[in-house]
Amino acid sequence: MARVINFSAGPATLPLAVLEQVQAELLDWRGSGMSVMEMSHRDKEFMSIAHEAEQDLREIMNIPAHYKVLFMQGGATAQFSFVPMNLLRGKTSADYVLTGDWGKKAAKEAGRYGKVNIAASSEADRYTYIPDPATWKLDPNAAYVHITPNETIHGVEFHIEPDTGDVPLVADMSSNILSRPIDVTRYGLIYAGAQKNIGPAGLTIVIVREDLIGQAAAGTPGIFDYKQMADNESMLNTPPCFAWYVAGLVFKWIKQQGGLGVIAERNARKAALLYDYLDSQSFYRNPVKKAHRSRMNVPFTLANPELDADFLKGAKAAGLSGLKGHRSVGGMRASLYNAMTLEGVQALVDYMKEFARTRG
Ligand SMILES: *Cc1c(COP(=O)(O)O)cnc(C)c1O
């Protein structure tokens, strides 16, 4: 078996121990005589898997009891609509802070349901920094303030948790959830597609403060209504059972590692290894303001873009996969999610050094 070192932005690398456990349990989940894929979601076996996953997530993220945890489908993109459908609550507008393409897409979708106020944007500088919260033009009557704490394409990340007072803060944490401890109580709602730092695609996690739900706009389909989902323990219809199960194994893996504090230290070391190298030379370049660099997604360009194809070809031969940058930014991108090891990042840096030495 030859596994590559996988830097894909998503779907992305998973902990080997989790994959091995999935493999071991694939045909017969703990004496049930069937695969989790084949179980009724109403049976006690799957119910125990589902509950345990939620309990473990609550424990590792320290989620208070007055927050609901929902296991939904449709990816983060569906949440771009579900958030305004559920959280406008009769108000006319919402604030959006744009620090990358995902936030811009979220704002555009919200515009179909209400008025969108762009409170701040770094688009004019190609999303290379986070606008200082002191400069945000927030509307005190906004239904919520939406941010994207980590912009996966541009590699910019909030290293603060902004204070929006009484206006609920909504965060698309698709690409940095579980990468470090956060204070859940600073947020009204957190959502994340699973396929970056949680598990397989097809599952979306929503963490929402209880008092914000139950006022969905008229015409909101039941399956998109957070309150109905919460009242039915995310089983209003058949949930993405297998993805939920694998996510649960990832939560257990995080606990075994020592929790989010340990994970965060590891992530900081991994990112520093790559950024320190990038800053030490001029063959490769990262365009993001240092204080706002992402620890999860590191875009970089080669001094000569004509070498891109050769770089990727050599990387593949060295067992390094998923490095091609997003088409809107070009160049390369290395995603360093929780399951990426320090040795994996070291292998990338070694390859980059050798490529620069021989081709620079
Ligand atoms: C990947 C990503 C999305 C889109 O996720 P889907 O699950 O494909 O809808 C949205 N926001 C962020 C920050 C992402 O990284």
Side-chain angles (χ1 to χ4, degrees):
M1 184 188 61
R3 285 185 47 87
V4 295
I5 302 171
N6 183 0
F7 294 95
S8 170
T13 187
L14 284 167
L16 184 58
V18 167
L19 294 176
E20 284 170 345
Q21 188 172 349
V22 169
Q23 184 180 44
E25 297 178 338
L26 191 67
L27 303 186
D28 175 11
W29 184 81
R30 301 182 200 176
S32 66
M34 62 177 98
S35 173
V36 175
M37 265 185 270
E38 303 170 298
M39 280 177 191
S40 165
H41 58 294
R42 309 280 178 202
D43 280 354
K44 69 174 194 319
E45 283 87 357
F46 186 75
M47 292 297 241
S48 74
I49 291 172
H51 281 136
E52 215 166 299
E54 178 177 338
Q55 285 319 310
D56 285 336
L57 181 63
R58 284 184 176 276
E59 188 182 325
I60 52 187
M61 287 186 73
N62 199 14
I63 301 172
H66 64 292
Y67 281 75
K68 296 288 185 188
V69 177
L70 308 178
F71 291 77
M72 298 185 76
Q73 304 191 50
T77 304
Q79 298 300 325
F80 295 170
S81 305
F82 300 172
V83 164
M85 283 173 162
N86 284 275
L87 292 202
L88 278 171
R89 294 166 293 139
K91 293 185 183 265
T92 51
S93 79
D95 287 347
Y96 279 72
V97 175
L98 306 192
T99 53
D101 285 345
W102 290 120
K104 191 177 180 183
K105 284 195 173 124
K108 184 166 178 239
E109 199 60 23
R112 291 152 49 86
Y113 306 94
K115 191 172 150 289
V116 166
N117 169 45
I118 305 300
S121 171
S122 57
E123 187 175 11
D125 292 296
R126 295 164 169 233
Y127 300 123
T128 49
Y129 71 99
I130 306 287
D132 182 348
T135 68
W136 296 2
K137 296 198 168 50
L138 296 175
D139 171 2
N141 295 313
Y144 59 87
V145 180
H146 182 283
I147 61 169
T148 312
N150 186 67
E151 279 283 359
T152 323
I153 294 173
H154 311 278
V156 284
E157 184 171 12
F158 281 75
H159 296 290
I160 49 143
E161 296 182 295
D163 183 357
T164 51
D166 290 339
V167 181
L169 182 62
V170 173
D172 173 3
M173 289 197 191
S174 292
S175 51
N176 70 345
I177 192 165
L178 303 179
S179 67
R180 61 172 156 186
I182 59 159
D183 179 358
V184 172
T185 64
R186 298 194 71 128
Y187 302 86
L189 186 147
I190 291 166
Y191 64 92
Q195 70 273 21
K196 275 96 186 216
N197 222 3
I198 297 175
L203 170 70
T204 314
I205 301 286
V206 176
I207 301 162
V208 59
R209 217 175 64 210
E210 215 167 34
D211 62 289
L212 296 175
I213 64 176
Q215 299 174 66
T220 299
I223 201 71
F224 302 168
D225 181 338
Y226 296 140
K227 178 78 166 80
Q228 290 198 37
M229 281 302 266
D231 287 348
N232 290 278
E233 299 189 316
S234 304
M235 293 199 199
L236 196 60
N237 70 334
T238 316
C241 303
F242 197 75
W244 191 331
Y245 152 71
V246 180
L249 297 181
V250 171
F251 301 154
K252 289 231 183 289
W253 176 81
I254 290 173
K255 282 171 68 174
Q256 283 158 7
Q257 305 305 299
L260 293 185
V262 172
I263 294 276
E265 271 170 44
R266 242 187 241 170
N267 286 335
R269 251 184 292 140
K270 280 151 47 185
L273 178 59
L274 182 48
Y275 284 121
D276 286 350
Y277 172 62
L278 285 169
D279 290 341
S280 72
Q281 49 75 59
S282 56
F283 184 81
Y284 307 98
R285 187 175 172 273
N286 169 275
V288 178
K289 191 172 163 188
K290 278 187 191 173
H292 303 152
R293 284 169 163 178
S294 168
R295 294 151 315 139
M296 292 286 103
N297 311 96
V298 184
F300 59 89
T301 51
L302 276 58
N304 176 4
E306 282 172 15
L307 293 175
D308 283 4
D310 279 358
F311 179 89
L312 288 167
K313 203 170 143 205
K316 190 169 176 224
L320 310 170
S321 163
L323 287 165
K324 192 172 174 19
H326 191 274
R327 58 192 183 281
S328 69
V329 174
M332 308 300 150
R333 171 175 48 174
S335 295
L336 314 179
Y337 299 123
N338 290 348
M340 174 57 59
T341 61
L342 187 67
E343 294 72 37
V345 183
Q346 186 63 57
L348 171 63
V349 170
D350 291 345
Y351 169 71
M352 289 169 72
K353 279 183 186 165
E354 184 60 13
F355 188 85
R357 189 182 69 78
T358 53
R359 306 297 298 272

